[in-house]
Amino acid sequence: MKSRTPVVVAMAAATAAASAAVAIAGPATAQPSDPVAPAAAAARTASALVAARPAALHASADEAFVQHPVISSDGDLQFVPYDRTYKGLTVKGGDFVVVTDGTGQTQFTSVAQNSPIGELGTTPKLSAAASAAIAKAQLKTVKNVESTKLIVDATDGAAKLAWESIVNGTSESGISRLTVDVDALTGDVLGTKENVTEATGTGTGWINGSVSLDTTLSGSTYSLKDPNMTTLSCQDASTNTVFSGTDNAWGTGVGTSKETGCVDALYVAQKEKAMLSSWLGRSGFSSSGGAWPIRVGLADQNAYYDGTQVQIGYNTSSQWIASADVVGHELGHGIDDNTPGGISNGNTQEFVADVFGAATEAYANNPNDAPDYLVGEEVNLVGSGAIRNMYNPSALGDDNCYSSSTASDEVHAAAGPGNHWFYLLAEGTNPTNGQPTSTLCSGSGTITGVGIQTATKIMYNAMLMKTSSSSYLKYRTWTLTAAKALDTTCALFNTVKAAWTGVSVPAQTADPTCTASSTTSPTATSSPTATATTSAPASCTGTNGTDVAIPDAGSAVTSSITISGCARAASSTSTVYVNIVHTYRGDLVLTLVAPDGSTYALKSSSSSDSTDNVDTTYTVNLSSETANGTWSLKAQDVYSGDTGTINTWTLTL
């Protein structure tokens, strides 16, 4: 018997057919990319640019700039966020992002502020207590004033000295955590921002069925806490305590059980965490690589994120609403909150969160909740099914098309044009994979989708250019810029443009232009309205997130990915990302099997490697293989005493 330190144990897993043993080729070498050098180059370039105070920053002599950690993403892009201070006070609406390539060359700047602050006094006439009283009056009931601080508000026109308070309580719409800005000279309310982001929807608490969970063992007690991201846990909302027990079996399958709700919620959160890593290269939900507690038991038909937690309520049948698109949506608000500029403005925040809900559902690919583009399709509050429809928002009363009134619509209804755009980008007008057709608001012809993984990557890279002045019009510019950086052929760029045209979001003067193989920075010239006929690049990547149980000292099992539309040879630097839950990873032998039966060793066994889990990207020379076809990850446990599960894997050719 091997010695080991069990930390993570699979709760339950699906079965998989064993495959016959085959000869193994030479070992592949894991070559994780090193983001330090490009990030350091980006930070140096951004510092030099900011020190020169270019006109685009609208800087004055009394301002200083605070550089935040560089965010790296695909397409060799580096994003350097900044905040601004004026005479030592935070400038709200003064944020900006400098974007460079991997060598440190500036590609783009995204600036929220549109004019210099000028000379502004910093002595308030209104006291902090008086401003807090005004802030409290914006809510129906008040629990407490969380904080009050003096700032400069540059979000709309001339900058003003202001008191900013965060007030907890209830509004006419329900639970509220409201940021209120009050003019420090006149007492006028300059603006409010609701930090509680809601999605009234549901999936029954048992919707995901029998699943595997990464849990934590301390002494003899297991808990519903992620062992590798300790800030991610599931708690009883009545007591804010993590569910725990002496065994590692969770839930009853009954939707009214809070523990069952937590099974679904933690499962979804861990799938979303894996999606962020595999698809986007992001290490966590928050900017520090962590998460927030998920609390099941909200006494309301609702769910929300408020900057400190995710709360999960119930449906009309008292079942806890922890479906993939609801939990994925709420955690998506957290990701939005923890990318430059904070939670998206201009009534775009709900469509941004819906993107993460759809991506999480697609990545999990759970047969009990098959991937689709309906939001909360399991909810039945009034017998009408889904609460939002991404391919045809008007089917549920929301607008398919953008107009000047979108920014003033009810926030969830305003998600319609953005959801429609994302569907057209991901799936197109006439999908061939069984998803529904979708019509255009303007333009003609058809759009061929780029796939949900690529569409999510474009959206995420656009979010890394986001400022506090975000809007539908700016998201058009940011997504075009992201697409251009990700693909020098301009195929992604043209599809992004066609999709925005398809939902009637007009061209902007800041939109970049794209010429195939262009390596120049985005220009600030006007872009003509695109037709809605385009083609997407071949999809040469795939993910399988279906759990496959690995028997102890048993036969090998496989998980397969079929690549199509990639009419070329595989790359000499192909990558295989593998995430396996296992309590003694040295037991495992991992092999990649090509469509023609050729095999490539990824990992050999080791009787002394007692570390838990496999979470590794392997780089393999597959240039002798044709990319299209069915590829398989083969896993075999060759020692007795431990079991595990293939959680997810991604192949990029």
Side-chain angles (χ1 to χ4, degrees), residues 228-441:
N228 301 310
M229 186 181 286
T230 57
T231 50
L232 177 59
S233 64
C234 197
Q235 305 176 356
D236 186 329
S238 298
T239 59
N240 290 353
T241 56
V242 179
F243 281 94
S244 61
T246 55
D247 60 24
N248 208 19
W250 306 95
T252 63
V254 176
T256 55
S257 159
K258 290 183 183 179
E259 182 179 303
T260 298
C262 264
V263 168
D264 284 329
L266 187 59
Y267 164 79
V268 170
Q270 290 178 340
K271 288 297 186 184
E272 188 163 9
K273 183 184 77 166
M275 182 273 292
L276 294 176
S277 175
S278 174
W279 285 9
L280 307 178
R282 185 178 174 91
S283 61
F285 298 93
S286 71
S287 54
S288 61
W292 312 273
I294 302 172
R295 291 168 175 152
V296 173
L298 173 67
D300 194 6
Q301 290 177 260
N302 204 355
Y304 68 81
Y305 161 85
D306 69 358
T308 65
Q309 63 181 333
V310 170
Q311 285 268 354
I312 302 295
Y314 55 79
N315 65 8
T316 52
S317 299
S318 299
Q319 298 162 318
W320 303 109
I321 59 175
S323 61
D325 47 15
V326 169
V327 177
H329 172 106
E330 298 306 337
L331 289 170
H333 279 306
I335 297 163
D336 191 20
D337 198 14
N338 282 260
T339 45
I343 290 178
S344 296
N345 287 314
N347 259 0
T348 60
Q349 64 265 46
E350 294 301 324
F351 111 73
V352 171
D354 280 348
V355 165
F356 283 94
T360 300
E361 190 173 82
Y363 184 87
N365 197 25
N366 188 310
N368 294 302
D369 185 8
D372 55 36
Y373 291 85
L374 298 173
V375 181
E377 65 270 21
E378 294 82 22
V379 70
N380 197 27
L381 295 178
V382 293
S384 58
I387 59 172
R388 282 190 295 284
N389 180 320
M390 298 180 76
Y391 55 86
N392 182 20
S394 63
L396 296 174
D398 300 330
D399 290 335
N400 282 9
C401 314
Y402 176 83
S403 71
S404 59
S405 66
T406 300
S408 59
D409 286 345
E410 190 277 327
V411 65
H412 297 91
N419 283 344
H420 189 195
W421 165 80
F422 183 76
Y423 185 83
L424 291 173
L425 176 62
E427 303 295 343
T429 49
N430 298 290
T432 59
N433 59 357
Q435 294 291 351
T437 60
S438 185
T439 59
L440 302 175
C441 302

Side-chain angles (χ1 to χ4, degrees), residues 62 86-87 117-122 151-153 159-161 185:
D62 292 310
Y86 177 84
K87 297 181 180 180
I117 291 176
E119 182 59 35
L120 181 68
T122 57
I151 66 166
V152 173
D153 189 330
K160 297 179 176 65
L161 187 67
L185 302 181

Side-chain angles (χ1 to χ4, degrees), residues 31-58:
Q31 298 176 347
S33 61
D34 179 7
V36 176
R44 287 193 299 268
T45 295
S47 295
L49 175 69
V50 171
R53 296 180 172 245
L57 296 186
H58 306 295

Side-chain angles (χ1 to χ4, degrees), residues 115-143:
S115 62
I117 291 176
E119 182 59 35
L120 181 68
T122 57
T123 302
K125 292 183 179 179
L126 191 71
S127 69
S131 71
I134 295 171
K136 290 165 65 175
Q138 308 309 306
L139 289 183
K140 182 179 178 181
T141 66
V142 175
K143 178 181 178 182

